[in-house]
Amino acid sequence: MSNSEWLNKFSGHLFWDADPAQLSMDANAPYIIQRVLEYGQMDDWRLINRYYGLDRIVSECKQLRTLDPVCLSFICNISHTNEEEYRCYHFRQYNPTLWNS
């Protein structure tokens, strides 16, 4: 399948702020993976899992500066890894919020 065929299979709301014609499944992997984890549906998850594989998804997620706590817990549970291995976990610890929001 071509790059555009893969991108057309994702839910339409995922890339509302980007031109899908300009996206590349390989060059923009961190962006695509983060969007699917945070805003995607289960079918979107199955697509990235089929395209990238769990190992690549985990390695890309470990480099992300921000990731929703629920998504971080999901990826940790599904891959049997610890939160401390992820950059977003440490970045969140360095920048605590002033209020519980």
Side-chain angles (χ1 to χ4, degrees):
M1 255 192 290
S2 71
N3 188 50
S4 61
E5 289 175 330
W6 277 101
L7 288 168
N8 288 335
K9 289 187 173 197
F10 287 110
S11 299
H13 68 276
L14 289 178
F15 308 116
W16 60 270
D17 63 339
D19 182 12
Q22 301 295 322
L23 292 177
S24 167
M25 289 292 288
D26 293 318
N28 303 110
Y31 173 75
I32 293 170
I33 290 170
Q34 184 173 10
R35 279 297 174 99
V36 168
L37 283 174
E38 291 182 342
Y39 304 110
Q41 299 173 353
M42 202 60 183
D43 288 338
D44 300 320
W45 165 254
R46 288 185 192 103
L47 280 172
I48 64 167
N49 198 15
R50 191 168 7 136
Y51 187 84
Y52 298 116
L54 187 59
D55 292 336
R56 174 131 187 234
I57 293 170
V58 170
S59 68
E60 295 289 351
C61 286
K62 285 182 179 182
Q63 301 305 315
L64 295 174
R65 288 182 67 145
T66 61
L67 189 62
D68 185 68
V70 173
C71 299
L72 178 60
S73 294
F74 172 75
I75 200 70
C76 287
N77 284 323
I78 206 163
S79 65
H80 305 291
T81 55
N82 294 323
E83 288 181 337
E84 292 83 19
E85 299 176 31
Y86 293 81
R87 182 179 182 194
C88 60
Y89 175 80
H90 295 287
F91 190 73
R92 185 176 66 216
Q93 297 297 319
Y94 292 139
N95 297 311
T97 57
L98 296 177
W99 296 278
N100 293 336
S101 54

